[in-house]
């Protein structure tokens, strides 16, 4: 079964610093991968997705992620953190077998310090 | 632009009570989902539906029931509430992601406490 792993549950960065949120996947077929963001007291919103086109995917709010098959990774980055980036971030993979179910990682809470 | 609408936003239940979480979407999406979110556990799929009249179990279906009589509505039923069902529940909808590159749209969530 396909899965994603987000190690750790909390990342803290200073405003203006690099944001790096790690996600590793497990899949026996070429994966479809996603990053979602959840702001406090809201539902999830799509940041970006990889669907086997370009390996470097650009999303909203200056975020991007690079698909690396050799490392089975899909890490999320942003060059310069902003206070408004404080949120919880979820990596997800589309399950194989023709169904349209997303399997989510446990999430990573990002804190941005002034 | 209503999108995915969930009601209620908050609810407190006593053990053994029943309730229905409502979800409706106005985007004519085929696919609808119910997830629960527990701290540090991410989102777990409870049930999903690929169209009116078709539902299927997700990862954690026990204690829940769903129905999909229309494209727009996908209610989630808790028959005998238990403390383990204390969680935040999210409804979501989409077109098939693989084929149309559509994204998943989420409702704003229902915070449920069972005491």
């Amino acid at each position: 079964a396909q899965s994603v792993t987000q190690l750790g549950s909390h990342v803290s960065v200073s405003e203006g610093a690099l944001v790096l949120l790690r996600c590793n996947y497990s899949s026996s077929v070429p994966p479809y991968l996603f990053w979602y963001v959840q702001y406090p007291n809201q539902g999830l919103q799509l940041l970006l997705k990889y669907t086997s086109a370009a390996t470097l995917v650009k999303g909203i709010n200056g975020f991007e992620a690079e698909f690396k098959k050799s490392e089975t990774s899909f890490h999320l980055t942003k060059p310069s953190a902003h206070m408004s980036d404080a949120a919880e971030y979820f990596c997800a993979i589309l399950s194989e077998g023709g169904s349209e179910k997303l399997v989510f990682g446990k999430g990573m809470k990002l804190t941005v310090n002034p | 632009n209503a999108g995915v609408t969930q009601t209620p936003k908050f609810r407190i239940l006593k053990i053994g009570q029943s309730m229905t979480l409502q979800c409706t979407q106005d985007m004519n999406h085929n696919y609808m989902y119910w997830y629960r979110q527990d701290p540090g556990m991410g989102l777990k799929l409870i049930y999903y539906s690929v169209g009116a009249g078709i539902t299927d179990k997700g990862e954690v279906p026990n204690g829940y029931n769903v129905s999909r009589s229309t494209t727009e509505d996908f209610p989630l039923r808790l028959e005998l509430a238990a403390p383990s069902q204390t969680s935040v529940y999210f409804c979501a909808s989409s077109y098939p992601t693989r084929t149309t590159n559509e994204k998943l749209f989420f409702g704003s969530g229902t915070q449920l406490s069972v005491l």
Side-chain angles (χ1 to χ4, degrees):
Chain A
Q2 291 170 302
S3 64
V4 289
T5 301
Q6 294 180 256
L7 291 177
S9 60
H10 192 204
V11 169
S12 182
V13 301
S14 299
E15 192 173 19
L18 171 72
V19 176
L20 170 61
L21 303 178
R22 299 178 185 274
C23 174
N24 288 89
Y25 70 89
S26 174
S27 177
S28 59
V29 299
Y32 283 55
L33 294 160
F34 305 78
W35 275 100
Y36 278 82
V37 60
Q38 184 182 30
Y39 298 104
N41 300 314
Q42 295 184 28
L44 280 69
Q45 304 172 39
L46 181 68
L47 264 181
L48 50 81
K49 61 183 175 184
Y50 168 76
T51 56
S52 75
T55 56
L56 182 62
V57 182
K58 294 187 183 298
I60 61 172
N61 301 336
F63 283 92
E64 62 182 35
E66 186 172 9
F67 174 74
K68 291 187 177 180
K69 184 179 178 180
S70 60
E71 300 178 6
T72 61
S73 69
F74 189 57
H75 301 332
L76 181 71
T77 61
K78 182 174 180 178
S80 177
H82 191 272
M83 297 296 289
S84 61
D85 295 326
E88 192 158 15
Y89 292 80
F90 294 89
C91 183
I93 187 168
L94 194 64
S95 62
E96 61 186 290
S99 71
E100 298 293 332
K101 296 181 288 185
L102 276 179
V103 178
F104 286 87
K106 293 184 177 182
M108 182 73 73
K109 187 172 183 179
L110 175 67
T111 299
V112 181
N113 302 308
Chain B
N1 294 339
V4 180
T5 303
Q6 288 182 239
T7 57
K9 292 189 181 300
F10 304 95
R11 185 70 184 268
I12 298 175
L13 284 181
K14 293 182 179 179
I15 295 172
Q17 284 186 319
S18 62
M19 76 163 294
T20 299
L21 280 66
Q22 301 291 346
C23 176
T24 187
Q25 53 92 7
D26 61 359
M27 296 171 283
N28 203 33
H29 285 164
N30 308 86
Y31 288 70
M32 295 188 75
Y33 311 80
W34 274 106
Y35 288 90
R36 61 176 286 172
Q37 183 181 24
D38 300 298
M41 299 299 291
L43 278 77
K44 302 291 185 183
L45 183 64
I46 305 171
Y47 270 96
Y48 69 104
S49 169
V50 301
I54 305 170
T55 63
D56 206 349
K57 295 178 181 179
E59 190 177 356
V60 290
N62 291 343
Y64 307 94
N65 279 300
V66 293
S67 60
R68 185 92 181 274
S69 57
T70 66
T71 300
E72 295 77 19
D73 300 307
F74 191 43
L76 178 72
R77 179 84 178 160
L78 284 71
E79 291 294 348
L80 290 170
S84 61
Q85 293 178 305
T86 294
S87 188
V88 181
Y89 292 84
F90 288 99
C91 179
S93 72
S94 75
Y95 288 117
T97 308
R98 280 183 216 278
T99 57
T100 67
N101 273 346
E102 275 290 342
K103 62 183 180 182
L104 211 56
F105 289 80
F106 281 83
S108 57
T110 295
Q111 189 167 332
L112 176 67
S113 295
V114 182
L115 306 175

